Amino acid sequence: MSRRHRTIRRGTLVGLVAATLLATGAGAAVITHLGAKTSIDNGAESSLTDAQRNALYQSNNEAFQSRLNSWYANLDLHAIDTHSLQRLSMMATYTPPESQTFGDAVTHASSVVAGTVTDLRTIPGSGGTPPQSFVTVRVDTRVKGVNSTTIIVHQLGGIVPSLDWKTIQIEDADPAPILLPGDQAMLLLLPDALVPGDFVVENYSGEYLVDTGGHISTVAGNPFSSQVDGMTLRGLTQAALQVTGPS
């Protein structure tokens, strides 16, 4: 069964304006609609000149960004059970999966590893861009590519404040939901075009989380989920090795 999160399709506090990300970057997404939050009184705004209105926008954006940066600076994820947080699905249009079979996806990937997430760091967006996360993964089994024992996976989305600033939430990009500390997964990876040395997950076909029962769960939208859903990590690793041969 494809993995499904408790998702709410709505804008988050960090989504102030539309933003476009490079197709080769984390998530390969174009943000098409995000919710807005502003303290501007639209009635009073009508009496302002264009210059005054632009200054007001700039002031509000700067105040918001300052508060957001402070929120992240004081966030201690080590004291939080991230698996218990509500998850939101980022409203965006994504590039479709490039592979239609597991074998094709393994071949397309530059690196394939089975590993365990040890750390997560989210940085706030700015100027209308969404947050981004850097996930540290301990490589438990190398199938293809990278020789490092630890890698950094760059993902779109991450830990965000709620609209009222009172709770903590997770904003996911549908093709590769945020990996959380403690997660065990097989990852089909590509080089990160934005951060040399880091990796991004193949859209829809690159993330295979091990569920609480020890079985593989695919991302919703994976075109060949029926081929791999329910397999064990060992079984999926063997299937990948059949494609690549011994490393």
Side-chain angles (χ1 to χ4, degrees), residues 12 14 74 88-89 95 112 128-129 134 144 156 165 201 240 242:
T12 63
V14 293
N74 290 284
L88 311 173
S89 182
T95 55
V112 179
T129 63
F134 296 86
K144 176 184 179 182
L156 182 64
W165 298 93
V201 180
Q242 288 178 8

Side-chain angles (χ1 to χ4, degrees), residues 177-190:
I178 295 296
L179 295 160
L180 301 177
D183 281 349
Q184 188 178 18
M186 173 173 281
L187 301 172
L188 278 55
L189 304 166
L190 298 169

Side-chain angles (χ1 to χ4, degrees), residues 36-234:
K37 182 181 179 67
T38 175
S39 59
I40 296 174
D41 183 334
N42 290 329
E45 181 188 348
S46 62
S47 63
L48 301 179
T49 65
D50 286 346
Q52 290 172 326
R53 188 178 298 107
N54 288 337
L56 184 58
Y57 289 158
Q58 182 67 26
S59 176
N60 274 272
N61 284 336
E62 290 175 355
F64 171 81
Q65 192 66 47
S66 176
R67 183 174 184 181
L68 184 63
N69 291 341
S70 177
W71 186 89
Y72 277 102
N74 290 284
L75 179 65
D76 181 9
L77 285 182
H78 296 97
I80 298 169
D81 177 10
T82 53
H83 288 87
S84 69
L85 299 179
Q86 183 184 52
R87 305 189 76 138
L88 311 173
S89 182
M90 187 179 293
M91 292 184 179
T93 299
Y94 304 96
T95 55
E98 296 188 33
S99 304
Q100 295 302 309
T101 69
F102 180 68
D104 288 343
V106 170
T107 300
H108 179 64
S110 64
S111 295
V112 179
V113 302
T116 303
V117 178
T118 60
D119 196 26
L120 166 66
R121 177 173 65 93
T122 297
I123 60 173
S126 63
T129 63
Q132 300 177 55
S133 292
F134 296 86
V135 180
T136 303
V137 178
R138 183 188 71 229
V139 177
D140 300 324
T141 303
R142 171 185 172 272
V143 176
K144 176 184 179 182
V146 65
N147 289 313
S148 303
T149 57
T150 301
I151 60 174
I152 303 297
V153 178
H154 186 186
Q155 293 191 279
L156 182 64
I159 305 298
V160 297
S162 60
L163 288 169
D164 59 8
W165 298 93
K166 293 181 179 179
T167 60
I168 301 170
Q169 300 169 328
I170 298 172
E171 186 173 48
D172 283 313
D174 290 346
I178 295 296
L179 295 160
L180 301 177
D183 281 349
Q184 188 178 18
M186 173 173 281
L187 301 172
L188 278 55
L189 304 166
L190 298 169
D192 184 359
L194 301 180
V195 184
D198 287 358
F199 296 89
V200 295
V201 180
E202 285 188 11
N203 270 5
Y204 297 103
S205 60
E207 190 173 311
Y208 302 88
L209 195 71
V210 180
D211 63 23
T212 55
H215 297 96
I216 292 297
S217 179
T218 55
V219 172
N222 183 309
F224 48 85
S225 60
S226 61
Q227 298 178 26
V228 298
D229 266 332
M231 294 179 67
T232 63
L233 181 58
R234 180 178 180 181

